[in-house]
């Protein structure tokens, strides 16, 4: 694969990472707003439905984020093997540690936020 093709793959993986964060972030924000409007006082079935929606969105978002980050790391591995890599390629290679943030820190923050929302919904 050429460097340009690898950079194109990197751009797609990065876009997938960004998009995978949208739904869970939006749903978490809406849930906070709904808590402020009285969601915690609604019937248990409504709270369970909200919990299920958040959990499904978070799990799917985290899985998509992790997969896109793995693809990004594969691109980085391939770029390392390209002779005379460009400045853009070198910057992408240098971002490998940031990809680990995407793989692990983002989902961890979701879990912590989800736990706080569960606390607010049920305790």
């Amino acid at each position: 694969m050429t460097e340009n093709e690898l950079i194109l793959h990197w751009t797609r993986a990065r876009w997938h990472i960004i998009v995978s964060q949208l739904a869970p972030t939006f749903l978490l924000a809406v849930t906070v707003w709904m808590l402020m409007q009285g969601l915690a006082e609604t019937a248990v079935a409504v709270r369970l439905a909200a919990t299920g929606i958040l959990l499904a969105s978070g799990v799917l978002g985290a899985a998509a984020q992790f997969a896109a980050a793995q693809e990004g790391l594969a691109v980085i591995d391939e770029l390392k093997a390209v002779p005379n890599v460009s400045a853009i390629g070198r910057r992408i290679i240098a971002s490998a540690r940031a990809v680990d943030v995407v793989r692990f820190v983002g989902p961890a923050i979701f879990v912590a936020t989800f736990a706080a929302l569960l606390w607010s919904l049920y305790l």
Side-chain angles (χ1 to χ4, degrees):
M1 225 178 244
T2 68
E3 181 182 1
N4 286 339
E5 290 171 327
L6 290 168
I7 291 172
L8 181 60
H9 281 291
W10 171 260
T11 303
R12 285 187 197 137
R14 190 174 57 180
W15 178 246
H16 289 146
I17 290 167
I18 293 165
V19 170
S20 71
Q21 296 171 1
L22 295 177
T25 301
F26 175 74
L27 287 173
L28 289 170
V30 167
T31 304
V32 169
W33 178 79
M34 289 174 27
L35 279 166
M36 294 170 43
Q37 303 302 313
L39 178 63
E41 287 79 37
T42 62
V44 172
V46 173
R47 291 181 279 155
L48 285 172
T51 301
I53 291 167
L54 283 174
L55 185 59
S57 173
V59 167
L60 293 174
Q65 210 172 333
F66 190 83
Q70 291 290 94
E71 291 169 17
L73 288 174
V75 169
I76 288 170
D77 288 342
E78 292 290 328
L79 277 172
K80 288 177 182 177
V82 172
N84 302 320
V85 69
S86 69
I88 292 172
R90 287 191 305 274
R91 295 288 177 143
I92 292 170
I93 292 168
S95 70
R97 285 189 158 188
V99 176
D100 284 334
V101 171
V102 171
R103 289 192 311 161
F104 301 114
V105 176
I109 291 170
F110 173 82
V111 168
T113 305
F114 183 73
L117 289 174
L118 287 178
W119 180 279
S120 297
L121 279 170
Y122 297 102
L123 300 177

